[in-house]
């Protein structure tokens, strides 16, 4: 029984994408896992789903530093999408910049979606806890 | 003249005989002094014509009239005297105020003696009268004048003195004596008087003045010092002039005034003025006073120095319109009017003053309205502190702070970049190793090891990039030298020939030949290489890339422009990240996100700066500012 309908991984680093996918597969939680190399690709995909009236991913793993559209720019657009469903967004970054923490606080206050903040590397032991529908 | 004495004779008690009477009458009539003969009943028997004239008596009717009708004799003394006289007693001369027949009050001096006949019998009174009203009034007037003079001289402290040449006598009035601090009965003489003057200038001056007065009939008026009897040193105004009568020297008269207070206050005022002048001239401030027309009426030394004149007189009467440009002067004049009209002082306002020669000075200016006793404005007091040096230092300090904070920001940014990049690699290592340890599937293990190698290569590259950046930022001893820009561009073009040909890129070099720029040659080459490759990499998909290089100049910078017709970039979105490390904006596989970051560091290492202008779909222009003055 798969608990999660669909998961998106947004990260420009293929190794991180490989790692998260591998961990998710090991707990066998979802069959529909997609990866996007930057925020732009991901948001375009989600918008497409909305226009086609299809369900959006319930859990999103989001990197911050990416080309073209970074994590924060993605969030800025994402929280303005007409989504009633509460989505879980796990920010996964190697940044320890205080600015990024502040940005996280800022977005948490601004949206009904659940936003979590994790430093790389993600551990297998914690992946199950953050891969639940919000 | 009596008209007919004969007809009157019969009326008298004392009958004079015929021709005798006539003779008497005729003689008495001619007496030069007013005289009247009275009988024992005090009726007029004879009277001199002078009496009638002197006292305005009616000519025809006085003979036979009682004296009381001619003069009011009700006064007791007068009556008593007459009575005594009739008893044969001579009377003293008297002066009395009486009322004459015209009801005027006059002063009369009279003397009466008994009138004897041949038998020594008293037959009446001979009365001689003189109207002395004028004399008495004059005497009174004189008394009054003297009193006035005394009062005046006491109040004004102006004494007088007189020297009689004939008697060699010098007389001082009381005030003069008081000024000398001698007793009222002090007897001065010329020698003593001169000795009162202070030895030296004062005594010499007065001696000379006296000499000149006698020699040249010259008057004098001198401010001199005097030592009083009690030893007090005072200032006096001594004035005098010789008196001549019909050309003959008679003596000297003069005035004498104690002016110590005046001289002292004058000295004090002068001292205060001098002190004030010294103070304002020594102040390291520009001080001036302007009148209602903003014309200078006082300037201090600093103001003179500032405006480049030696003598304050050169500035007095001049307005700012004479000293500064019209615009500058108008600003100042407007300030002045504001201060004087609205009585609103300007305190510590920062102003910039530009002289006609273009020198600019920053002042901390205060302008304070000046009002007279009636609170009417008559000008303003201006005080300006030259803070140009301070301003310059402040400017330098601000620049330094800017540079420091910029460098600090760069440093923090760099630290974050380093931290982020190293962490992301180490996180990957950690994760992949974790997988590897637990992985049993051989293929997957190989896959993981391949990724570990990739991660290792990535880390190595990152370290190389960081190293390059550190080298640029820390190498402060880089040597700048003049480089022919045109030749450098040709060199870069040659190095990129293949790349440019493949992309059908065209470089238009508009930089004038033999343009030399003071740069670090290696950096400059790298910069040109980077901008040109970027321009080609991010070309517009629908057209062949054209890159235009040109050079312009402004006041202090030489500006190199590199303009392309590429796809452009939305600077509103990415502007702040354009030159950031590991920021890439286009979906380009070659983008490493390091080129512009290094380029910017290289430009800044040469004291230059770079800005970008871009329009999406149109192209991008990078402008590099080289500060050649530095």
């Amino acid at each position: 029984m798969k608990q999660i309908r669909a998961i998106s991984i947004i990260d420009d680093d293929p190794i991180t994408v490989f790692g998260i996918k591998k961990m998710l597969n090991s707990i066998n939680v979802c069959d529909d896992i997609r990866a996007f190399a930057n925020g732009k690709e991901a948001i375009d995909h989600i918008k497409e789903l909305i226009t086609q009236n299809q369900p959006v991913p319930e859990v999103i793993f989001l990197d911050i530093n990416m080309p073209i559209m970074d994590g924060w720019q993605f969030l800025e657009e994402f929280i303005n999408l007409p989504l009633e469903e509460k989505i879980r967004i796990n920010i996964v970054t190697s940044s320890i910049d205080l600015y990024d923490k502040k940005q996280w606080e800022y977005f948490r206050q601004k949206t009904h979606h659940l936003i979590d903040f994790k430093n790389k590397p993600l551990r297998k032991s914690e992946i199950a806890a953050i891969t639940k529908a919000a | 003249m009596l008209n007919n004495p004969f007809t009157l004779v019969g009326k008298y008690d004392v009958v004079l005989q015929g021709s005798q009477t006539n003779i008497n009458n005729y003689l008495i009539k001619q007496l030069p002094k007013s005289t009247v003969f009275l009988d024992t009943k005090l009726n007029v028997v004879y009277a001199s014509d002078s009496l009638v004239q002197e006292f305005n008596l009616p000519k025809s009717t006085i003979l036979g009239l009682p004296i009381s009708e001619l003069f009011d004799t009700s006064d007791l003394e007068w009556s008593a005297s007459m009575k005594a006289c009739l008893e044969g007693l001579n009377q003293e001369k008297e002066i009395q105020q009486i009322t004459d027949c015209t009801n005027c009050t006059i002063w009369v001096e009279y003397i009466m003696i008994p009138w004897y006949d041949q038998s020594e019998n008293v037959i009446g009174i001979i009365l001689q009268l003189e109207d002395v009203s004028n004399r008495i009034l004059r005497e009174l007037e004189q008394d009054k004048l003297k009193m006035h003079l005394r009062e005046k001289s006491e109040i004004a402290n102006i004494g007088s003195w007189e020297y009689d040449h004939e008697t060699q006598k010098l007389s001082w009035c009381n005030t003069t004596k008081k000024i000398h601090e001698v007793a009222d009965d002090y007897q001065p003489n010329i020698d003593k008087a001169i000795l009162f003057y202070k030895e030296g200038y004062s005594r010499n001056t007065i001696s000379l003045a006296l000499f000149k007065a006698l020699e040249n009939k010259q008057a004098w008026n001198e401010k001199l010092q005097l030592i009083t009897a009690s030893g007090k040193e005072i200032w006096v105004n001594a004035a005098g002039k010789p008196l001549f009568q019909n050309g003959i020297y008679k003596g000297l008269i003069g005035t004498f005034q104690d002016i110590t207070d005046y001289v002292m206050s004058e000295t004090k005022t002068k001292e205060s003025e001098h002190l004030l002048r010294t103070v304002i001239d020594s102040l390291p401030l520009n001080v001036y006073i302007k009148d209602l027309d903003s014309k200078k009426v006082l300037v201090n030394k600093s103001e003179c120095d500032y405006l480049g004149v030696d003598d304050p007189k050169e500035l007095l009467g001049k307005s700012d319109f004479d000293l500064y440009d019209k615009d500058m002067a108008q600003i100042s004049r407007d300030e002045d009017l504001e201060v004087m009209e609205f009585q609103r002082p300007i305190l510590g306002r920062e102003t910039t003053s530009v002289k006609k020669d273009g020198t600019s000075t920053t002042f901390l200016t205060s302008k304070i309205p000046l009002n007279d006793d009636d609170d009417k404005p008559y000008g303003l007091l201006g005080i300006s502190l030259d803070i140009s040096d301070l301003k310059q230092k402040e400017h330098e300090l601000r620049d330094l702070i800017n540079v420091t904070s910029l460098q600090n920001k760069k440093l923090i940014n760099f630290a974050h970049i380093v931290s982020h990049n190293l962490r992301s690699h180490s996180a990957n290592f950690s994760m992949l190793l974790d997988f590897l340890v637990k992985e049993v599937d051989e293929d997957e293990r190989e896959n993981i090891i391949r990724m570990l190698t990739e991660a290792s290569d990535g880390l190595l590259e990152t370290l190389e990039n960081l190293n390059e950046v550190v080298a640029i930022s820390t190498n402060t001893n880089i040597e700048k030298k003049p480089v022919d820009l045109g030749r450098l561009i040709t060199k870069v073009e040659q190095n990129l020939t293949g790349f440019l040909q493949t992309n059908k890129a065209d470089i238009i070099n508009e930089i004038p030949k033999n343009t030399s720029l003071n740069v670090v040659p290696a950096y400059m080459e790298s910069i040109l290489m980077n901008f040109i490759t970027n321009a080609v990499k991010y070309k517009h998909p629908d057209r062949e890339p054209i890159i235009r290089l040109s050079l312009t100049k402004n006041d202090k910078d030489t500006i190199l422009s590199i303009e392309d017709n590429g796809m452009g970039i939305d600077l509103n979105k990415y502007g702040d990240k354009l030159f950031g490390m590991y920021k890439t904006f286009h979906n380009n596989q070659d983008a490493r996100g390091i080129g512009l970051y290094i380029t910017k560091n290289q430009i800044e290492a040469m004291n230059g700066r770079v800005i970008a202008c871009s329009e999406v779909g149109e192209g991008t222009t990078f402008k590099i500012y080289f500060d050649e003055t530095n």
Side-chain angles (χ1 to χ4, degrees):
Chain A
M1 179 63 191
K2 306 290 180 196
Q3 296 125 16
I4 307 290
R5 189 173 58 237
I7 294 174
S8 289
I9 303 167
I10 310 168
D11 200 318
D12 62 331
D13 175 22
I15 296 176
T16 308
V17 174
F18 165 80
I20 295 174
K21 267 188 181 169
K22 193 173 170 63
M23 283 185 264
L24 287 173
N25 285 333
S26 72
I27 57 167
N28 200 20
V29 74
C30 178
D31 285 338
D32 185 3
I33 302 170
R34 276 172 197 248
F36 302 93
N38 63 59
K40 181 97 171 72
E41 287 177 16
I43 201 82
D44 286 349
H45 172 69
I46 291 166
K47 281 179 182 168
E48 180 73 22
L49 290 176
I50 292 170
T51 28
Q52 288 172 9
N53 258 329
Q54 287 182 28
V56 297
E58 290 167 274
V59 177
I60 296 170
F61 289 86
L62 179 66
D63 185 25
I64 294 173
N65 290 298
M66 290 177 289
I68 302 170
M69 181 189 273
D70 69 13
W72 300 128
Q73 287 168 326
F74 169 81
L75 268 183
E76 191 71 62
E77 285 204 29
F78 182 79
I79 61 170
N80 286 324
L81 292 175
L83 289 173
E84 279 177 35
E85 195 185 349
K86 194 171 177 184
I87 307 295
R88 180 175 186 110
I89 300 154
N90 297 312
I91 295 167
V92 184
T93 179
S94 49
S95 166
I96 49 163
D97 194 337
L98 211 64
Y99 169 80
D100 290 329
K101 286 261 180 182
K102 278 186 185 154
Q103 281 289 89
W104 171 46
E105 278 298 328
Y106 164 76
F107 281 107
R108 271 211 312 183
Q109 311 262 327
K110 244 182 117 175
T111 179
H112 67 285
H113 300 299
L114 177 76
I115 305 180
D116 207 345
F117 192 98
K118 294 284 172 193
N119 271 119
K120 286 182 187 175
L122 275 181
R123 292 290 163 197
K124 214 174 158 186
S125 52
E126 57 187 344
I127 196 89
I130 60 169
T131 316
K132 288 175 181 162
Chain B
M1 272 250 248
L2 295 174
N3 285 342
N4 193 352
F6 301 101
T7 56
L8 292 169
V9 171
K11 285 185 182 172
Y12 297 128
D13 288 349
V14 178
V15 177
L16 297 168
Q17 291 301 310
S19 60
Q20 186 60 42
T21 308
N22 271 342
I23 290 164
N24 286 346
N25 191 20
Y26 190 68
L27 285 176
I28 291 166
K29 255 167 70 78
Q30 294 182 74
L31 286 174
K33 203 159 178 186
S34 302
T35 312
V36 62
F37 285 69
L38 304 174
D39 62 18
T40 50
K41 286 183 181 153
L42 302 178
N43 291 326
V44 177
V45 180
Y46 303 115
S48 65
D49 285 349
S50 49
L51 178 84
V52 177
Q53 256 175 3
E54 194 168 357
F55 296 101
N56 293 318
L57 299 173
K59 278 179 192 168
S60 53
T61 53
I62 64 164
L63 292 183
L65 290 179
I67 186 71
S68 58
E69 280 190 25
L70 299 182
F71 303 102
D72 176 12
T73 54
S74 56
D75 184 80
L76 277 176
E77 214 176 316
W78 166 280
S79 313
S81 296
M82 289 195 173
K83 212 171 160 194
C85 201
L86 286 174
E87 283 162 15
L89 297 170
N90 278 351
Q91 296 301 305
E92 293 287 314
K93 210 182 236 185
E94 301 268 5
I95 293 178
Q96 195 159 359
Q97 204 174 19
I98 59 165
T99 310
D100 71 3
C101 61
T102 58
N103 254 339
C104 283
T105 306
I106 53 170
W107 286 94
V108 175
E109 189 182 68
Y110 65 90
I111 184 162
M112 51 182 84
I113 52 166
W115 180 12
Y116 297 102
D117 64 4
Q118 281 109 327
S119 330
E120 296 289 320
N121 297 316
V122 177
I123 56 163
I125 300 169
I126 305 168
L127 179 62
Q128 260 191 345
L129 298 128
E130 192 184 349
D131 182 351
V132 291
S133 300
N134 284 341
R135 204 182 84 207
I136 296 291
L137 284 176
R138 262 204 309 277
E139 275 172 13
L140 283 175
E141 193 68 22
Q142 207 181 357
D143 284 350
K144 220 159 76 185
L145 273 175
K146 272 186 185 159
M147 207 171 69
H148 273 239
L149 196 65
R150 203 168 50 238
E151 292 286 316
K152 268 187 194 158
S153 101
E154 269 171 28
I155 289 165
N157 233 1
I158 298 176
S160 58
W161 55 267
E162 209 175 326
Y163 174 69
D164 188 334
H165 177 60
E166 203 179 333
T167 59
Q168 304 266 306
K169 209 183 143 210
L170 176 67
S171 47
W172 286 352
C173 82
N174 282 344
T175 304
T176 304
K177 286 178 183 168
K178 219 185 265 171
I179 292 169
H180 283 85
E181 292 192 311
V182 293
D184 285 351
D185 56 359
Y186 180 81
Q187 287 296 328
N189 61 41
I190 288 281
D191 292 337
K192 281 200 229 166
I194 287 174
L195 282 177
F196 271 102
Y197 288 90
K198 192 178 175 184
E199 217 180 326
Y201 172 78
S202 292
R203 199 178 289 172
N204 295 345
T205 305
I206 197 72
S207 306
L208 191 67
L210 278 170
F211 174 75
K212 279 187 179 167
L214 301 182
E215 265 321 89
N216 310 334
K217 306 182 181 183
Q218 231 172 332
W220 73 89
N221 191 346
E222 302 280 355
K223 268 184 217 165
L224 299 170
Q225 274 177 299
L226 196 89
I227 312 286
T228 67
S230 75
K232 214 165 76 187
E233 198 174 301
I234 60 166
W235 280 91
V236 293
N237 197 73
K241 65 173 183 184
L243 272 184
F244 291 88
Q245 205 169 37
N246 300 328
I248 298 158
Y249 170 61
K250 285 289 178 190
L252 303 160
I253 56 161
T255 57
F256 199 78
Q257 185 183 10
D258 183 352
I259 52 162
T260 310
D261 290 348
Y262 169 74
V263 171
M264 284 303 163
S265 73
E266 197 183 41
T267 314
K268 213 155 202 169
T269 310
K270 262 187 195 157
E271 275 172 8
S272 304
E273 243 171 53
H274 183 72
L275 183 68
L276 193 69
R277 190 76 225 179
T278 312
V279 168
I280 69 159
D281 276 343
S282 317
L283 280 174
L285 299 165
N286 294 12
V287 178
Y288 50 84
I289 291 177
K290 287 178 177 175
D291 65 12
L292 289 176
D293 297 327
S294 287
K295 285 183 176 150
K296 291 195 158 99
V297 291
L298 181 146
V299 288
N300 77 336
K301 199 172 169 298
S302 295
E303 178 78 352
C304 292
D305 291 349
Y306 169 65
L307 290 166
V309 301
D310 294 329
D311 191 348
K313 285 196 188 96
E314 289 179 51
L315 294 176
L316 299 185
K318 284 190 180 170
S319 77
D320 289 335
F321 289 96
D322 304 317
L323 303 166
Y324 302 96
D325 281 343
K326 200 171 163 256
D327 293 349
M328 207 70 230
Q330 193 57 52
I331 292 171
S332 176
R333 172 66 175 156
D334 290 346
E335 282 176 358
D336 293 355
L337 285 174
E338 179 196 322
V339 168
M340 292 186 290
E341 245 172 69
F342 301 109
Q343 295 289 299
R344 212 181 288 140
I346 290 174
L347 297 173
R349 181 183 289 181
E350 204 178 297
T351 58
T352 306
S353 173
V354 182
K355 281 192 284 190
K356 278 187 172 164
D357 64 3
T359 330
S360 174
T361 312
T362 310
F363 284 113
L364 216 53
T365 299
S366 295
K367 288 181 177 178
I368 294 127
L370 293 175
N371 295 345
D372 61 17
D373 290 343
D374 299 329
D375 258 353
K376 264 177 68 184
Y378 69 86
L380 66 85
L381 166 68
I383 302 165
S384 297
L385 175 63
D386 183 347
I387 53 162
S388 302
D389 285 354
L390 255 145
K391 210 65 198 157
Q392 177 65 26
K393 288 212 176 79
E394 189 190 310
H395 202 75
E396 283 166 13
L397 208 64
R398 198 174 291 150
D399 278 356
L400 200 65
I401 289 170
N402 283 344
V403 167
T404 315
S405 73
L406 200 74
Q407 287 191 335
N408 202 29
K409 225 163 116 187
K410 269 168 76 178
L411 214 61
I412 290 173
N413 186 33
F414 187 70
H416 279 139
I417 289 165
V418 171
S419 147
H420 178 266
N421 288 300
L422 296 184
R423 279 178 65 88
S424 54
H425 288 298
S426 72
N428 282 348
F429 279 126
S430 167
M431 186 181 70
L432 290 170
L433 286 172
D434 197 36
F435 288 156
L436 188 65
V437 171
K438 287 165 194 163
E439 191 57 64
V440 283
D441 183 87
E442 234 1 84
D443 287 349
E444 186 68 352
R445 280 180 69 96
E446 256 178 52
N447 192 21
I448 292 168
I449 288 169
R450 183 184 51 78
M451 275 191 270
L452 272 170
T453 316
E454 272 175 26
S456 166
D457 289 346
L459 177 60
L460 217 61
E461 195 194 330
T462 300
L463 286 176
E464 272 168 17
N465 288 343
L466 293 177
N467 205 33
E468 196 178 338
V469 174
V470 171
I472 296 164
S473 301
T474 53
N475 192 359
T476 49
N477 279 331
I478 47 162
E479 209 185 321
K480 284 205 269 185
K481 53 184 181 191
V483 166
D484 187 321
L485 203 56
R487 278 168 63 183
L488 194 64
I489 289 165
T490 312
K491 188 179 164 194
V492 171
E493 248 180 292
Q494 279 165 359
N495 289 344
L496 292 172
T497 313
F499 175 69
L500 293 173
Q501 273 173 1
T502 314
N503 288 289
K504 294 185 177 155
D506 189 12
I507 293 181
I508 301 169
N509 184 357
E510 289 178 351
I511 292 161
K513 276 203 171 120
N514 301 323
T515 299
S516 178
L517 216 55
N518 210 26
V519 292
V520 179
Y523 287 181
M524 197 63 219
E525 191 180 329
S526 155
I527 290 162
L528 286 169
M529 184 90 89
N530 228 320
F531 279 128
I532 291 169
T533 35
N534 267 355
V536 176
K537 259 196 225 169
Y538 303 106
K539 66 182 182 186
H540 196 279
D542 302 340
R543 51 185 180 243
E544 286 166 3
I546 298 170
I547 303 147
R548 192 183 301 269
L549 294 120
S550 58
L551 205 68
T552 48
K553 263 176 196 270
N554 69 11
D555 294 348
K556 58 191 271 264
D557 297 306
T558 304
I559 307 152
L560 172 65
S561 300
I562 301 156
E563 182 189 348
D564 68 42
N565 61 343
M567 62 174 83
I569 183 167
D570 185 349
L571 289 177
N572 289 328
K573 247 183 185 170
Y574 305 113
D576 54 337
K577 291 177 180 162
L578 187 57
F579 295 100
M581 198 178 191
Y582 297 118
K583 309 282 184 196
T584 51
F585 311 96
H586 302 95
N587 231 343
N588 194 317
Q589 290 303 312
D590 295 340
R592 296 184 304 139
I594 191 83
L596 281 182
Y597 183 76
I598 288 178
T599 298
K600 186 170 194 270
N601 272 280
Q602 286 172 330
I603 291 168
E604 282 169 2
M606 297 189 296
N607 277 328
R609 60 200 166 89
V610 57
I611 60 161
C613 321
S614 186
E615 206 163 316
V616 176
E618 297 293 323
T620 306
T621 303
F622 287 97
K623 287 185 175 174
I624 311 170
Y625 290 74
F626 294 99
D627 184 354
E628 297 250 65
T629 60
N630 194 340

